[in-house]
Amino acid sequence: MADVERPNALTVTGAHNGAIMSSCLVEIDESSAVVRLTGVLDAAGAEALRGALLARLVARPGPVVADVSGLRVVDPSGRSVFAEVRREVADWPAADLLLCDPAVDGPAHPDAALAGVPAWPTLDGALAAVAATPLAAVLTAELAPVVGAARQARELVATGCERWGMPMLTDPACIAVTEMVNNVVAHARTPMTVRLAPQDSTLHLAVRDHSPRQPTFAGISPPTRVGGRGLLLIDTVTRRWGSSAVPDGKVVWCVLHPDDEAA
């Protein structure tokens, strides 16, 4: 078979003692939510595949479908990467990972390593589930690391809270996004993506930058300390928050709930 250039394909390989043990081709369909996985995957290639899936999820709002119809997994730990990725993005705005796997006959996978990952036996079924997600309820802004970025992020948050009927979350969400964006401006100093989406009665908010430096939170700062209270503010006004390492950077996310006392 002649070689065909695939500009959106990534070959994920795993090695042991210098010998390649697996080769998984990751093909991204830019026009849809589908990521096609073909080849062989073992434990050694799982971490690289994890990074490839997270990179797609951070680049595209909404659920992503991993089509594993052409993938052979030779180690149970290789299968667990899908559940791990889904747990990692559970609190990101409008993010989820679904599977297309002919081995299932409904949205419950018989493989224990894939427990909790929604799966469909056909790609049409998985894409129908994606179509049911209200992608219109997602707002995204690409911002430069400059003075004024936090103001633009607050305007995005105010628009979303008004549009989705969450006026009580406007103030705490603006506090959280201000600190998240200002941390990028002061420390990461890279372009950033601000994204927010409603989920039931909660608001999910995330800021993605291109620095691997993870935020650290040591609790309440002493009153004599200057600065360093940004994460404390985020911790105070949100239900929960965290940081996810992704290829070429990180995602700092938080969830706000109208029943929180801080809100």
Side-chain angles (χ1 to χ4, degrees), residues 95-123:
D96 201 0
L97 180 66
L98 314 180
L99 287 181
C100 169
D101 188 345
V104 304
D105 56 7
H109 207 290
D111 191 326
L114 289 167
V117 183
W120 283 262
T122 67
L123 193 56

Side-chain angles (χ1 to χ4, degrees), residues 177-200:
V177 80
T178 295
E179 298 305 325
M180 294 161 75
V181 168
N182 282 344
N183 280 341
V184 177
V185 174
H187 303 295
R189 301 174 184 175
T190 73
M192 72 192 90
T193 303
V194 178
R195 183 170 294 153
L196 61 149
Q199 182 175 321
D200 299 323

